Amino acid sequence: MGVLEEIETNISRAIDSATDNADAAIEVAKKAATGAIHVTDGAVSKAGEIAKKYKLDEAAASAAKSVGQMVEEVSKKYPLAGRAVELGRSAMDVAGEVSSDIMESGFNKSDLERDRFMLRGKLAEQGYDCWRQFFTGHNAATGEEKSFFLCFFAINPALGTDSAILGQSEETQSKGIKPSYLMVKAGVWGEDPKQLNRFFPWKKVSMNEGAPFSISADNCFLSETRSLGRVCLRPEEVKAHPEWMSDAGDLIWDLHIDKKIAFNIGYGAGKAMRDQEALQMLWHAEGMKTAYEGRVVYNGQVYMVRPETSFGYADKNWGSDFTRPWIWLASNDLTSKISGDKLSNSAFAIGGGKPRIGNLEVENGLLGAIWHEGEAYQFNFSHVWTLTKTRYKVKVGKDYIRWRLIQETPLSKMYTDIQCPRKDMVQLSYETPGGQIRHDKFWCGGTGTGSIKLYRKSLKKDWKWELVDEIEAAHVGCEYGD
C-alpha cells in the first residue's frame, strides 16, 4: 500500500472514530443539559453568596476596564443574586471565570471547548477559525532536520457556495465579495521555505463542531489527536492562479498528536467573552508543548517525526479580524544555562499585538507564559489584577528578525530575546473575513533561537529579584506581521 493510500485509509478510520465519539458525546450532553435545567435556579441564587464571599463584584469591575465595561454594566443592571436567569447565567459565567483566574495562578488547563468550531452567529458571515500545528522531522535517509507547519483555516462558512470563494480573485475584488472556504495550508521552514495552499468549498467539508472537534475535506483531516492529508500544487497551476497565494510543491503527512502542556489565557477567551463577541481576535494554545509522531513526505523525501524530537506546538485563533501588529513566539526545546539540563517539562509562548475590545485598542496587548519544570509564570494583560506590564521591540534586519520583550508583574519577570534568519522564513498569506490582506508582510519561521531570563520575588530574598533560570531556546516558532 502506498503512502497516500495508507493515509486515506487512516482518514476513513479516524472519521468513523470521531463520529462514534460525537454520538456518545451527544448522549452525555443531553443528560448534562437535563440536570442543568434543575439546578439553574439554585445556582443563580448561590452566585450572590459566592460573589460576596470572594468579592467577585470588585474583581469583575476591575476586569471590565479591559472588556469594554461589559461585566460592570451587567452586574449593575442585573445583580448576580437576581432571578433574571438567562442574564444571570451570563454574569455568573464571567464572575466564575474571573474568580477561577484569581484563585488559580496556573494556566496549564486543558479546555477542548476553546478548540471547537467557533463560526456561529455573526462570525459565520464575518469570521475565521484557524487551527495551527508546528513540528520538526528528520530525513529518513540522511538524518537532515526540517521544520514543518500545518494550518486548517476556515472563513465565512455561511457565505459558501458550490465553489470556494477566494477573496483575491479579480471577480471577488471587483464585486466586493467576501471569501468563503476551508483552506489547508502546509509548508516548510529552513532552506527553501514554502507554503502550499489548498482550498475547499464548504459543501465538501465535514466536521464535528463540538468538543473534541474534527474537520475533514477530501483526504485532509484534523482532530485533537490526529492529522492526515496532502497538498500538491504544480508550478504551472500556481502561476496561473495568483489568488491561491501559494508556492508549488507536494507535502503529505500522517501524524499522531499528543498535547502535553496548555496555555489557557483564562476568562479573556472563556465562554462568556465568546458569547459577547467583544474581542476582535481570541487565542488558545491547547498544545503549547505537543509531541507529534508519524511521517511526512515532502517532494518525494520521507521525514520521520518522533515525539522526543518533534518540538511540537498546537494552537488556534479565531475572531472577526486579525490584530495588527501580530507577534508570536513559542518553543519547548529549552535548556537551562545554569544547570546545563534539558528542561523536558517546560514550554513558553507569547502572542498578541494591539487587540481590539469593542472600539478599544489595547497597546502592548501581549499574552505570555512560561511553564518552567512544573511551575507557572504568566504575563496576561487581560488579568488586570496582576498588574502585568509589557514592553517589546521587533527589528526586521537585512538577514535576521529579532524580538526583544520584557514582561513583568510585581512577582515575576521574563526577558525574552529571539532571532530567526529571514532566509528560513515564509511570508504567509491569509485573507481577513472582509477579503483584505491585513499585514503588508507576515513573517513566519520555526528555526528561531535565543534566550530567556526568568526572575521572581520572594520573602526569602527580601522581596528582591531572584534569578530563577537563564534558558537557551531553540526550534522557536516566531511570527511578525505589520
Side-chain angles (χ1 to χ4, degrees):
M1 181 182 292
V3 173
L4 184 57
E5 288 78 12
E6 183 179 348
I7 286 178
E8 290 175 337
T9 300
N10 287 334
I11 289 175
S12 179
R13 291 173 180 170
I15 292 173
D16 290 341
S17 175
T19 301
D20 293 340
N21 291 338
D23 291 339
I26 289 172
E27 292 304 312
V28 173
K30 287 179 179 177
K31 293 179 181 179
T34 301
I37 291 172
H38 293 296
V39 302
T40 295
D41 286 355
V44 172
S45 60
K46 189 69 176 177
E49 299 172 17
I50 295 172
K52 184 177 181 180
K53 181 177 180 180
Y54 294 107
K55 300 180 180 179
L56 293 186
D57 46 354
E58 295 179 14
S62 297
K65 295 177 182 178
S66 294
V67 295
Q69 305 299 315
M70 182 196 72
V71 176
E72 187 177 66
E73 292 171 5
V74 171
S75 63
K76 285 180 179 178
K77 189 173 182 180
Y78 306 102
L80 287 174
R83 301 291 296 173
V85 175
E86 291 303 320
L87 292 165
R89 282 175 179 166
S90 178
M92 281 172 58
D93 286 341
V94 175
E97 289 166 356
V98 170
S99 67
S100 176
D101 289 346
I102 291 173
M103 291 182 281
E104 289 190 47
S105 60
F107 54 79
N108 183 10
K109 296 177 285 187
S110 172
D111 187 351
L112 300 187
E113 285 291 329
R114 300 182 186 215
D115 262 4
R116 67 183 295 172
F117 185 71
M118 297 292 186
L119 302 186
R120 299 186 176 92
K122 294 179 181 178
L123 292 181
E125 296 186 357
Q126 179 69 28
Y128 75 95
D129 216 340
C130 180
W131 297 267
R132 310 190 304 168
Q133 317 281 323
F134 307 115
F135 56 92
T136 297
H138 291 82
N139 190 294
T142 68
E144 174 199 6
E145 182 178 276
K146 188 169 283 294
S147 295
F148 299 91
F149 60 91
L150 302 170
C151 175
F152 282 61
F153 181 82
I155 190 166
N156 296 342
L159 306 180
T161 63
D162 291 345
S163 302
I165 303 173
L166 309 183
Q168 301 308 299
S169 71
E170 292 184 4
E171 180 182 4
T172 55
Q173 288 282 303
S174 63
K175 296 181 179 179
I177 299 173
K178 293 182 181 180
S180 179
Y181 51 74
L182 171 69
M183 176 179 69
V184 178
K185 182 188 291 286
V188 298
W189 293 309
E191 185 178 352
D192 195 24
K194 301 289 185 184
Q195 64 177 323
L196 314 175
N197 298 332
R198 185 179 180 188
F199 297 88
F200 298 96
W202 280 103
K203 66 176 297 183
K204 293 186 177 181
V205 177
S206 300
M207 72 174 72
N208 173 31
E209 296 187 9
F213 86 98
S214 65
I215 188 167
S216 64
D218 193 25
N219 57 2
C220 296
F221 174 83
L222 176 66
S223 72
E224 292 287 356
T225 59
R226 201 85 165 93
S227 187
L228 316 101
R230 183 180 191 179
V231 180
C232 180
L233 295 143
R234 298 188 301 273
E236 58 271 23
E237 292 178 309
V238 170
K239 185 176 181 180
H241 294 280
E243 70 275 14
W244 291 357
M245 306 176 292
S246 181
D247 299 313
D250 186 5
L251 198 150
I252 307 169
W253 68 96
D254 181 356
L255 299 166
H256 292 271
I257 305 168
D258 183 9
K259 299 176 181 179
K260 302 285 191 180
I261 299 174
F263 178 20
N264 185 324
I265 72 169
Y267 84 95
K271 183 179 184 301
M273 295 302 296
R274 298 197 302 268
D275 290 346
Q276 292 293 329
E277 296 183 352
L279 293 166
Q280 183 185 59
M281 179 179 180
L282 300 98
W283 180 38
H284 176 66
E286 183 68 22
M288 184 166 69
K289 177 182 173 71
T290 298
Y292 289 88
E293 184 173 16
R295 58 184 171 178
V296 174
V297 182
Y298 176 57
N299 289 341
Q301 297 290 311
V302 178
Y303 293 83
M304 304 308 297
V305 182
R306 298 180 176 87
E308 63 274 12
T309 56
S310 64
F311 308 115
Y313 174 93
D315 76 357
K316 72 168 295 189
N317 57 79
W318 69 98
S320 60
D321 205 343
F322 310 143
T323 183
R324 180 178 178 181
W326 167 253
I327 292 170
W328 171 76
L329 299 167
S331 175
N332 54 75
D333 183 8
L334 306 176
T335 304
S336 172
K337 290 185 176 182
I338 295 176
S339 68
D341 294 337
K342 203 74 174 175
L343 302 178
S344 58
N345 184 28
S346 298
F348 88 95
I350 298 170
K354 289 185 180 179
R356 296 190 68 85
I357 306 171
N359 293 322
L360 175 67
E361 192 173 72
V362 180
E363 290 287 341
N364 296 328
L366 270 68
L367 303 160
I370 182 167
W371 184 260
H372 182 262
E373 296 303 280
E375 189 169 358
Y377 297 84
Q378 184 173 189
F379 308 92
N380 189 332
F381 76 89
S382 71
H383 292 182
V384 294
W385 55 89
T386 64
L387 305 177
T388 296
K389 295 186 292 185
T390 296
R391 289 176 288 158
Y392 70 88
K393 184 176 182 179
V394 182
K395 181 180 179 180
V396 180
K398 180 180 178 181
D399 298 318
Y400 288 85
I401 299 179
R402 185 178 182 184
W403 296 257
R404 286 178 289 178
L405 306 95
I406 301 174
Q407 295 181 286
E408 181 179 348
T409 73
L411 299 177
S412 56
K413 179 165 58 176
M414 184 167 72
Y415 292 84
T416 307
D417 189 349
I418 304 295
Q419 66 178 14
C420 189
R422 283 180 51 169
K423 66 179 180 60
D424 289 353
M425 304 179 76
V426 175
Q427 289 192 33
L428 292 180
S429 298
Y430 288 103
E431 297 178 319
T432 70
Q436 297 84 30
I437 301 296
R438 179 66 64 212
H439 303 102
D440 296 333
K441 290 186 177 180
F442 189 175
W443 295 94
C444 178
T447 61
T449 58
S451 63
I452 298 170
K453 290 183 179 180
L454 182 62
Y455 296 85
R456 67 184 169 200
K457 285 183 178 178
S458 68
L459 290 173
K460 294 180 180 179
K461 296 293 182 178
D462 298 323
W463 216 246
K464 296 179 181 179
W465 288 116
E466 170 192 6
L467 179 64
V468 176
D469 207 347
E470 186 172 356
I471 301 165
E472 180 181 353
H475 294 95
V476 182
C478 37
E479 291 180 340
Y480 178 60
D482 202 357

